[in-house]
Amino acid sequence: MNKFFFLLIFIMSTFNISYSQIIIEMNNINGTYQIPCKVNGIPMNFIFDTGATDVTISITEAKFLLKQGLLDKSDFIENVKYEIANGDIIEGTKINLKTIDIGDIILNNVSASVIYKQDAPLLLGQSALSKLGQYSINGNQLIISTSDIDAAIICGF
């Protein structure tokens, strides 16, 4: 009887994890969805941007992370040029972010770009979103299927 009970619990927990969803509330601010995240442990609000190639942060956030010891020289990869939505070419630096926490999901080693403007928007782009696997948006809710998450840790299960 005990073996049956443990087998039943195991099957139920496996089914629950395999077909679970994580729902994250986003904030609609001036027509854009912003999502609360933590970058290397520091809270930041990102614009949820499926059209952005990379996660982007401004030079202001990069300097803060550097001063806090949350970025180091090994995280800086190369200087690059980017074409932004209006067609302008801007300079930036490709970096590696050790972690981005999105709700109960921790993404590791996310490629990001530092934009050399103090007021550049924080964009949560495809370098992070592609690691989430299958997701959908329903109103202001980001719904992530936990069975498809790539290279992430799910907390709370």
Side-chain angles (χ1 to χ4, degrees):
M1 186 67 169
N2 282 341
K3 289 181 183 179
F4 176 75
F5 179 72
F6 287 119
L7 180 62
L8 182 62
I9 298 252
F10 175 75
I11 291 171
M12 289 175 55
S13 65
T14 301
F15 180 79
N16 189 28
I17 291 172
S18 298
Y19 296 98
S20 294
Q21 296 177 336
I22 294 175
I23 299 174
I24 299 168
E25 298 289 326
M26 297 188 291
N27 301 311
N28 187 340
I29 299 175
N30 298 325
T32 61
Y33 285 113
Q34 292 191 9
I35 185 166
C37 300
K38 288 184 181 176
V39 173
N40 295 350
I42 301 297
M44 298 182 189
N45 288 313
F46 283 83
I47 295 172
F48 188 86
D49 190 348
T50 59
T53 302
D54 278 337
V55 169
T56 63
I57 63 174
S58 75
I59 192 74
T60 305
E61 284 83 20
K63 285 180 179 179
F64 180 80
L65 291 170
L66 196 59
K67 285 180 183 177
Q68 299 299 312
L70 300 171
L71 281 179
D72 57 47
K73 288 183 181 184
S74 68
D75 292 317
F76 289 81
I77 300 166
E78 64 183 338
N79 290 331
V80 290
K81 294 188 179 190
Y82 298 97
E83 182 176 356
I84 59 174
N86 68 4
D88 290 347
I89 304 294
I90 60 171
E91 290 186 20
T93 299
K94 181 78 80 176
I95 64 170
N96 178 63
L97 298 174
K98 290 175 184 74
T99 61
I100 297 180
D101 299 20
I102 306 170
D104 288 337
I105 300 169
I106 301 171
L107 302 176
N108 295 305
N109 298 314
V110 178
S111 176
S113 302
V114 176
I115 305 301
Y116 300 151
K117 291 185 176 183
Q118 290 184 344
D119 61 348
L122 301 174
L123 302 178
L124 191 67
Q126 288 300 320
S127 61
L129 298 177
S130 65
K131 292 185 175 212
L132 293 177
Q134 186 176 12
Y135 62 86
S136 61
I137 298 173
N138 184 11
N140 70 328
Q141 293 182 328
L142 173 63
I143 304 164
I144 303 166
S145 171
T146 59
S147 63
D148 293 331
I149 295 175
D150 176 35
I153 299 170
I154 303 171
C155 304
F157 279 99

